[in-house]
PDB file of all heavy atoms in Angstrom:
ATOM      1  N   LYS A  15      17.654 -22.361   0.941  1.00  0.00           N
ATOM      2  CA  LYS A  15      17.870 -23.442   1.914  1.00  0.00           C
ATOM      3  C   LYS A  15      19.060 -23.128   2.819  1.00  0.00           C
ATOM      4  O   LYS A  15      19.021 -23.376   4.015  1.00  0.00           O
ATOM      5  CB  LYS A  15      18.087 -24.788   1.205  1.00  0.00           C
ATOM      6  CG  LYS A  15      16.824 -25.483   0.832  1.00  0.00           C
ATOM      7  CD  LYS A  15      16.048 -25.838   2.070  1.00  0.00           C
ATOM      8  CE  LYS A  15      14.768 -26.548   1.747  1.00  0.00           C
ATOM      9  NZ  LYS A  15      13.903 -26.687   2.903  1.00  0.00           N
ATOM     10  N   GLU A  16      20.117 -22.577   2.231  1.00  0.00           N
ATOM     11  CA  GLU A  16      21.292 -22.219   3.037  1.00  0.00           C
ATOM     12  C   GLU A  16      20.943 -21.100   4.016  1.00  0.00           C
ATOM     13  O   GLU A  16      21.315 -21.157   5.187  1.00  0.00           O
ATOM     14  CB  GLU A  16      22.438 -21.761   2.133  1.00  0.00           C
ATOM     15  CG  GLU A  16      23.680 -21.404   2.918  1.00  0.00           C
ATOM     16  CD  GLU A  16      24.764 -20.796   2.053  1.00  0.00           C
ATOM     17  OE1 GLU A  16      24.783 -21.032   0.830  1.00  0.00           O
ATOM     18  OE2 GLU A  16      25.592 -20.087   2.627  1.00  0.00           O
ATOM     19  N   ALA A  17      20.212 -20.100   3.549  1.00  0.00           N
ATOM     20  CA  ALA A  17      19.827 -18.979   4.412  1.00  0.00           C
ATOM     21  C   ALA A  17      18.904 -19.448   5.528  1.00  0.00           C
ATOM     22  O   ALA A  17      18.981 -18.957   6.658  1.00  0.00           O
ATOM     23  CB  ALA A  17      19.152 -17.888   3.588  1.00  0.00           C
ATOM     24  N   GLU A  18      18.056 -20.413   5.222  1.00  0.00           N
ATOM     25  CA  GLU A  18      17.108 -20.925   6.206  1.00  0.00           C
ATOM     26  C   GLU A  18      17.816 -21.462   7.453  1.00  0.00           C
ATOM     27  O   GLU A  18      17.333 -21.298   8.575  1.00  0.00           O
ATOM     28  CB  GLU A  18      16.263 -22.029   5.559  1.00  0.00           C
ATOM     29  CG  GLU A  18      15.245 -22.658   6.461  1.00  0.00           C
ATOM     30  CD  GLU A  18      14.524 -23.804   5.776  1.00  0.00           C
ATOM     31  OE1 GLU A  18      14.484 -23.845   4.531  1.00  0.00           O
ATOM     32  OE2 GLU A  18      14.014 -24.657   6.499  1.00  0.00           O
ATOM     33  N   MET A  19      18.987 -22.056   7.271  1.00  0.00           N
ATOM     34  CA  MET A  19      19.729 -22.636   8.395  1.00  0.00           C
ATOM     35  C   MET A  19      20.263 -21.568   9.354  1.00  0.00           C
ATOM     36  O   MET A  19      20.530 -21.858  10.501  1.00  0.00           O
ATOM     37  CB  MET A  19      20.906 -23.481   7.884  1.00  0.00           C
ATOM     38  CG  MET A  19      20.498 -24.641   7.035  1.00  0.00           C
ATOM     39  SD  MET A  19      19.361 -25.682   7.956  1.00  0.00           S
ATOM     40  CE  MET A  19      18.535 -26.504   6.638  1.00  0.00           C
ATOM     41  N   ARG A  20      20.393 -20.333   8.884  1.00  0.00           N
ATOM     42  CA  ARG A  20      20.956 -19.273   9.715  1.00  0.00           C
ATOM     43  C   ARG A  20      19.899 -18.519  10.513  1.00  0.00           C
ATOM     44  O   ARG A  20      20.231 -17.673  11.331  1.00  0.00           O
ATOM     45  CB  ARG A  20      21.740 -18.284   8.846  1.00  0.00           C
ATOM     46  CG  ARG A  20      22.978 -18.884   8.211  1.00  0.00           C
ATOM     47  CD  ARG A  20      23.883 -17.830   7.603  1.00  0.00           C
ATOM     48  NE  ARG A  20      23.227 -16.862   6.748  1.00  0.00           N
ATOM     49  CZ  ARG A  20      23.070 -17.001   5.430  1.00  0.00           C
ATOM     50  NH1 ARG A  20      23.511 -18.085   4.821  1.00  0.00           N
ATOM     51  NH2 ARG A  20      22.483 -16.060   4.726  1.00  0.00           N
ATOM     52  N   TYR A  21      18.644 -18.794  10.268  1.00  0.00           N
ATOM     53  CA  TYR A  21      17.569 -18.056  10.929  1.00  0.00           C
ATOM     54  C   TYR A  21      16.675 -18.995  11.722  1.00  0.00           C
ATOM     55  O   TYR A  21      16.707 -20.214  11.542  1.00  0.00           O
ATOM     56  CB  TYR A  21      16.735 -17.293   9.891  1.00  0.00           C
ATOM     57  CG  TYR A  21      17.483 -16.151   9.241  1.00  0.00           C
ATOM     58  CD1 TYR A  21      18.100 -16.314   8.005  1.00  0.00           C
ATOM     59  CD2 TYR A  21      17.579 -14.923   9.867  1.00  0.00           C
ATOM     60  CE1 TYR A  21      18.802 -15.273   7.410  1.00  0.00           C
ATOM     61  CE2 TYR A  21      18.269 -13.877   9.275  1.00  0.00           C
ATOM     62  CZ  TYR A  21      18.873 -14.056   8.051  1.00  0.00           C
ATOM     63  OH  TYR A  21      19.558 -13.024   7.471  1.00  0.00           O
ATOM     64  N   SER A  22      15.863 -18.409  12.589  1.00  0.00           N
ATOM     65  CA  SER A  22      14.913 -19.198  13.369  1.00  0.00           C
ATOM     66  C   SER A  22      13.589 -18.433  13.454  1.00  0.00           C
ATOM     67  O   SER A  22      13.478 -17.316  12.969  1.00  0.00           O
ATOM     68  CB  SER A  22      15.469 -19.449  14.776  1.00  0.00           C
ATOM     69  OG  SER A  22      15.637 -18.216  15.454  1.00  0.00           O
ATOM     70  N   GLY A  23      12.612 -19.036  14.079  1.00  0.00           N
ATOM     71  CA  GLY A  23      11.329 -18.382  14.302  1.00  0.00           C
ATOM     72  C   GLY A  23      10.592 -18.040  13.029  1.00  0.00           C
ATOM     73  O   GLY A  23      10.634 -18.760  12.031  1.00  0.00           O
ATOM     74  N   SER A  24       9.916 -16.894  13.056  1.00  0.00           N
ATOM     75  CA  SER A  24       9.075 -16.512  11.926  1.00  0.00           C
ATOM     76  C   SER A  24       9.903 -16.190  10.684  1.00  0.00           C
ATOM     77  O   SER A  24       9.417 -16.353   9.564  1.00  0.00           O
ATOM     78  CB  SER A  24       8.189 -15.325  12.298  1.00  0.00           C
ATOM     79  OG  SER A  24       8.966 -14.222  12.675  1.00  0.00           O
ATOM     80  N   THR A  25      11.152 -15.756  10.860  1.00  0.00           N
ATOM     81  CA  THR A  25      12.001 -15.499   9.690  1.00  0.00           C
ATOM     82  C   THR A  25      12.274 -16.806   8.958  1.00  0.00           C
ATOM     83  O   THR A  25      12.206 -16.866   7.723  1.00  0.00           O
ATOM     84  CB  THR A  25      13.328 -14.833  10.114  1.00  0.00           C
ATOM     85  OG1 THR A  25      13.027 -13.629  10.812  1.00  0.00           O
ATOM     86  CG2 THR A  25      14.194 -14.528   8.915  1.00  0.00           C
ATOM     87  N   ARG A  26      12.558 -17.845   9.705  1.00  0.00           N
ATOM     88  CA  ARG A  26      12.809 -19.149   9.079  1.00  0.00           C
ATOM     89  C   ARG A  26      11.551 -19.655   8.363  1.00  0.00           C
ATOM     90  O   ARG A  26      11.633 -20.171   7.246  1.00  0.00           O
ATOM     91  CB  ARG A  26      13.262 -20.153  10.129  1.00  0.00           C
ATOM     92  CG  ARG A  26      13.582 -21.498   9.534  1.00  0.00           C
ATOM     93  CD  ARG A  26      14.151 -22.440  10.556  1.00  0.00           C
ATOM     94  NE  ARG A  26      14.450 -23.699   9.932  1.00  0.00           N
ATOM     95  CZ  ARG A  26      15.140 -24.648  10.493  1.00  0.00           C
ATOM     96  NH1 ARG A  26      15.634 -24.467  11.688  1.00  0.00           N
ATOM     97  NH2 ARG A  26      15.366 -25.775   9.871  1.00  0.00           N
ATOM     98  N   LYS A  27      10.406 -19.462   8.999  1.00  0.00           N
ATOM     99  CA  LYS A  27       9.156 -19.877   8.359  1.00  0.00           C
ATOM    100  C   LYS A  27       8.929 -19.095   7.070  1.00  0.00           C
ATOM    101  O   LYS A  27       8.436 -19.639   6.078  1.00  0.00           O
ATOM    102  CB  LYS A  27       7.991 -19.680   9.322  1.00  0.00           C
ATOM    103  CG  LYS A  27       8.036 -20.624  10.493  1.00  0.00           C
ATOM    104  CD  LYS A  27       6.969 -20.292  11.499  1.00  0.00           C
ATOM    105  CE  LYS A  27       7.220 -21.081  12.765  1.00  0.00           C
ATOM    106  NZ  LYS A  27       6.784 -20.384  13.943  1.00  0.00           N
ATOM    107  N   GLY A  28       9.296 -17.817   7.085  1.00  0.00           N
ATOM    108  CA  GLY A  28       9.162 -16.994   5.886  1.00  0.00           C
ATOM    109  C   GLY A  28      10.059 -17.475   4.765  1.00  0.00           C
ATOM    110  O   GLY A  28       9.661 -17.480   3.595  1.00  0.00           O
ATOM    111  N   ILE A  29      11.284 -17.887   5.107  1.00  0.00           N
ATOM    112  CA  ILE A  29      12.202 -18.402   4.087  1.00  0.00           C
ATOM    113  C   ILE A  29      11.674 -19.720   3.529  1.00  0.00           C
ATOM    114  O   ILE A  29      11.734 -19.966   2.325  1.00  0.00           O
ATOM    115  CB  ILE A  29      13.632 -18.538   4.661  1.00  0.00           C
ATOM    116  CG1 ILE A  29      14.188 -17.149   4.993  1.00  0.00           C
ATOM    117  CG2 ILE A  29      14.543 -19.258   3.677  1.00  0.00           C
ATOM    118  CD1 ILE A  29      15.502 -17.162   5.749  1.00  0.00           C
ATOM    119  N   GLU A  30      11.118 -20.567   4.405  1.00  0.00           N
ATOM    120  CA  GLU A  30      10.515 -21.814   3.932  1.00  0.00           C
ATOM    121  C   GLU A  30       9.354 -21.517   2.980  1.00  0.00           C
ATOM    122  O   GLU A  30       9.197 -22.168   1.945  1.00  0.00           O
ATOM    123  CB  GLU A  30      10.004 -22.639   5.114  1.00  0.00           C
ATOM    124  CG  GLU A  30      11.096 -23.213   5.989  1.00  0.00           C
ATOM    125  CD  GLU A  30      10.552 -23.887   7.242  1.00  0.00           C
ATOM    126  OE1 GLU A  30       9.338 -23.752   7.532  1.00  0.00           O
ATOM    127  OE2 GLU A  30      11.338 -24.533   7.933  1.00  0.00           O
ATOM    128  N   ALA A  31       8.555 -20.505   3.325  1.00  0.00           N
ATOM    129  CA  ALA A  31       7.422 -20.134   2.473  1.00  0.00           C
ATOM    130  C   ALA A  31       7.921 -19.560   1.142  1.00  0.00           C
ATOM    131  O   ALA A  31       7.349 -19.851   0.086  1.00  0.00           O
ATOM    132  CB  ALA A  31       6.524 -19.135   3.194  1.00  0.00           C
ATOM    133  N   LEU A  32       8.987 -18.759   1.174  1.00  0.00           N
ATOM    134  CA  LEU A  32       9.582 -18.250  -0.069  1.00  0.00           C
ATOM    135  C   LEU A  32      10.041 -19.401  -0.954  1.00  0.00           C
ATOM    136  O   LEU A  32       9.860 -19.378  -2.173  1.00  0.00           O
ATOM    137  CB  LEU A  32      10.776 -17.344   0.241  1.00  0.00           C
ATOM    138  CG  LEU A  32      10.473 -15.899   0.588  1.00  0.00           C
ATOM    139  CD1 LEU A  32      11.733 -15.214   1.089  1.00  0.00           C
ATOM    140  CD2 LEU A  32       9.915 -15.172  -0.611  1.00  0.00           C
ATOM    141  N   TYR A  33      10.646 -20.395  -0.346  1.00  0.00           N
ATOM    142  CA  TYR A  33      11.107 -21.581  -1.070  1.00  0.00           C
ATOM    143  C   TYR A  33       9.925 -22.231  -1.796  1.00  0.00           C
ATOM    144  O   TYR A  33      10.007 -22.542  -2.991  1.00  0.00           O
ATOM    145  CB  TYR A  33      11.755 -22.549  -0.082  1.00  0.00           C
ATOM    146  CG  TYR A  33      12.326 -23.797  -0.702  1.00  0.00           C
ATOM    147  CD1 TYR A  33      13.641 -23.814  -1.162  1.00  0.00           C
ATOM    148  CD2 TYR A  33      11.571 -24.951  -0.834  1.00  0.00           C
ATOM    149  CE1 TYR A  33      14.179 -24.954  -1.730  1.00  0.00           C
ATOM    150  CE2 TYR A  33      12.097 -26.095  -1.405  1.00  0.00           C
ATOM    151  CZ  TYR A  33      13.413 -26.088  -1.845  1.00  0.00           C
ATOM    152  OH  TYR A  33      13.943 -27.219  -2.411  1.00  0.00           O
ATOM    153  N   LEU A  34       8.836 -22.415  -1.061  1.00  0.00           N
ATOM    154  CA  LEU A  34       7.664 -23.051  -1.668  1.00  0.00           C
ATOM    155  C   LEU A  34       7.024 -22.161  -2.742  1.00  0.00           C
ATOM    156  O   LEU A  34       6.514 -22.657  -3.743  1.00  0.00           O
ATOM    157  CB  LEU A  34       6.649 -23.417  -0.588  1.00  0.00           C
ATOM    158  CG  LEU A  34       7.096 -24.568   0.315  1.00  0.00           C
ATOM    159  CD1 LEU A  34       6.162 -24.718   1.493  1.00  0.00           C
ATOM    160  CD2 LEU A  34       7.191 -25.865  -0.469  1.00  0.00           C
ATOM    161  N   LYS A  35       7.066 -20.851  -2.530  1.00  0.00           N
ATOM    162  CA  LYS A  35       6.545 -19.939  -3.559  1.00  0.00           C
ATOM    163  C   LYS A  35       7.383 -20.033  -4.825  1.00  0.00           C
ATOM    164  O   LYS A  35       6.845 -19.965  -5.928  1.00  0.00           O
ATOM    165  CB  LYS A  35       6.506 -18.506  -3.032  1.00  0.00           C
ATOM    166  CG  LYS A  35       5.350 -18.321  -2.044  1.00  0.00           C
ATOM    167  CD  LYS A  35       4.921 -16.921  -1.848  1.00  0.00           C
ATOM    168  CE  LYS A  35       4.427 -16.235  -3.035  1.00  0.00           C
ATOM    169  NZ  LYS A  35       3.015 -15.924  -3.064  1.00  0.00           N
ATOM    170  N   CYS A  36       8.697 -20.208  -4.676  1.00  0.00           N
ATOM    171  CA  CYS A  36       9.562 -20.390  -5.847  1.00  0.00           C
ATOM    172  C   CYS A  36       9.209 -21.668  -6.595  1.00  0.00           C
ATOM    173  O   CYS A  36       9.449 -21.779  -7.799  1.00  0.00           O
ATOM    174  CB  CYS A  36      11.036 -20.413  -5.442  1.00  0.00           C
ATOM    175  SG  CYS A  36      11.682 -18.804  -4.983  1.00  0.00           S
ATOM    176  N   LEU A  37       8.661 -22.632  -5.880  1.00  0.00           N
ATOM    177  CA  LEU A  37       8.233 -23.880  -6.512  1.00  0.00           C
ATOM    178  C   LEU A  37       6.845 -23.748  -7.141  1.00  0.00           C
ATOM    179  O   LEU A  37       6.343 -24.701  -7.737  1.00  0.00           O
ATOM    180  CB  LEU A  37       8.241 -25.021  -5.496  1.00  0.00           C
ATOM    181  CG  LEU A  37       9.605 -25.454  -4.982  1.00  0.00           C
ATOM    182  CD1 LEU A  37       9.464 -26.525  -3.901  1.00  0.00           C
ATOM    183  CD2 LEU A  37      10.481 -25.967  -6.118  1.00  0.00           C
ATOM    184  N   GLY A  38       6.202 -22.573  -6.957  1.00  0.00           N
ATOM    185  CA  GLY A  38       4.919 -22.335  -7.604  1.00  0.00           C
ATOM    186  C   GLY A  38       3.708 -22.430  -6.710  1.00  0.00           C
ATOM    187  O   GLY A  38       2.576 -22.356  -7.197  1.00  0.00           O
ATOM    188  N   HIS A  39       3.890 -22.597  -5.412  1.00  0.00           N
ATOM    189  CA  HIS A  39       2.742 -22.700  -4.507  1.00  0.00           C
ATOM    190  C   HIS A  39       2.248 -21.322  -4.109  1.00  0.00           C
ATOM    191  O   HIS A  39       3.011 -20.360  -4.077  1.00  0.00           O
ATOM    192  CB  HIS A  39       3.115 -23.502  -3.259  1.00  0.00           C
ATOM    193  CG  HIS A  39       3.481 -24.913  -3.567  1.00  0.00           C
ATOM    194  ND1 HIS A  39       2.557 -25.864  -3.908  1.00  0.00           N
ATOM    195  CD2 HIS A  39       4.687 -25.530  -3.614  1.00  0.00           C
ATOM    196  CE1 HIS A  39       3.171 -27.009  -4.130  1.00  0.00           C
ATOM    197  NE2 HIS A  39       4.476 -26.836  -3.968  1.00  0.00           N
ATOM    198  N   THR A  40       0.979 -21.229  -3.788  1.00  0.00           N
ATOM    199  CA  THR A  40       0.390 -19.956  -3.365  1.00  0.00           C
ATOM    200  C   THR A  40       0.440 -19.842  -1.846  1.00  0.00           C
ATOM    201  O   THR A  40       0.618 -20.842  -1.139  1.00  0.00           O
ATOM    202  CB  THR A  40      -1.074 -19.854  -3.819  1.00  0.00           C
ATOM    203  OG1 THR A  40      -1.836 -20.855  -3.127  1.00  0.00           O
ATOM    204  CG2 THR A  40      -1.216 -20.037  -5.324  1.00  0.00           C
ATOM    205  N   ASN A  41       0.242 -18.618  -1.360  1.00  0.00           N
ATOM    206  CA  ASN A  41       0.174 -18.412   0.088  1.00  0.00           C
ATOM    207  C   ASN A  41      -0.950 -19.237   0.702  1.00  0.00           C
ATOM    208  O   ASN A  41      -0.817 -19.761   1.803  1.00  0.00           O
ATOM    209  CB  ASN A  41      -0.052 -16.932   0.414  1.00  0.00           C
ATOM    210  CG  ASN A  41       1.181 -16.095   0.234  1.00  0.00           C
ATOM    211  OD1 ASN A  41       2.233 -16.599  -0.173  1.00  0.00           O
ATOM    212  ND2 ASN A  41       1.074 -14.817   0.522  1.00  0.00           N
ATOM    213  N   THR A  42      -2.052 -19.360  -0.002  1.00  0.00           N
ATOM    214  CA  THR A  42      -3.199 -20.119   0.497  1.00  0.00           C
ATOM    215  C   THR A  42      -2.844 -21.595   0.676  1.00  0.00           C
ATOM    216  O   THR A  42      -3.206 -22.213   1.680  1.00  0.00           O
ATOM    217  CB  THR A  42      -4.395 -19.965  -0.459  1.00  0.00           C
ATOM    218  OG1 THR A  42      -4.643 -18.567  -0.654  1.00  0.00           O
ATOM    219  CG2 THR A  42      -5.628 -20.625   0.090  1.00  0.00           C
ATOM    220  N   GLU A  43      -2.134 -22.157  -0.305  1.00  0.00           N
ATOM    221  CA  GLU A  43      -1.727 -23.567  -0.195  1.00  0.00           C
ATOM    222  C   GLU A  43      -0.759 -23.762   0.969  1.00  0.00           C
ATOM    223  O   GLU A  43      -0.877 -24.730   1.732  1.00  0.00           O
ATOM    224  CB  GLU A  43      -1.055 -24.019  -1.492  1.00  0.00           C
ATOM    225  CG  GLU A  43      -1.991 -24.096  -2.674  1.00  0.00           C
ATOM    226  CD  GLU A  43      -1.259 -24.324  -3.988  1.00  0.00           C
ATOM    227  OE1 GLU A  43      -0.062 -23.963  -4.096  1.00  0.00           O
ATOM    228  OE2 GLU A  43      -1.888 -24.871  -4.911  1.00  0.00           O
ATOM    229  N   ILE A  44       0.201 -22.849   1.100  1.00  0.00           N
ATOM    230  CA  ILE A  44       1.184 -22.947   2.180  1.00  0.00           C
ATOM    231  C   ILE A  44       0.482 -22.801   3.532  1.00  0.00           C
ATOM    232  O   ILE A  44       0.752 -23.545   4.471  1.00  0.00           O
ATOM    233  CB  ILE A  44       2.292 -21.888   2.007  1.00  0.00           C
ATOM    234  CG1 ILE A  44       3.056 -22.135   0.703  1.00  0.00           C
ATOM    235  CG2 ILE A  44       3.250 -21.902   3.192  1.00  0.00           C
ATOM    236  CD1 ILE A  44       3.954 -20.985   0.270  1.00  0.00           C
TER     237      ILE A  44
END
């Protein structure tokens, strides 16, 4: 979450997706 604030664009979306993957979601769900 802290790293997400320092980035924008597709990198930020990737960090958000990593966050959700850490919560157990799949790429398909995201």
Side-chain angles (χ1 to χ4, degrees):
K15 276 297 180 190
E16 181 187 336
E18 180 184 337
M19 299 303 157
R20 294 192 311 269
Y21 291 97
S22 63
S24 59
T25 303
R26 182 175 181 169
K27 292 173 191 149
I29 294 172
E30 291 173 350
L32 277 171
Y33 182 89
L34 290 170
K35 285 201 61 111
C36 287
L37 292 176
H39 297 286
T40 66
N41 285 2
T42 306
E43 292 171 335
I44 297 167

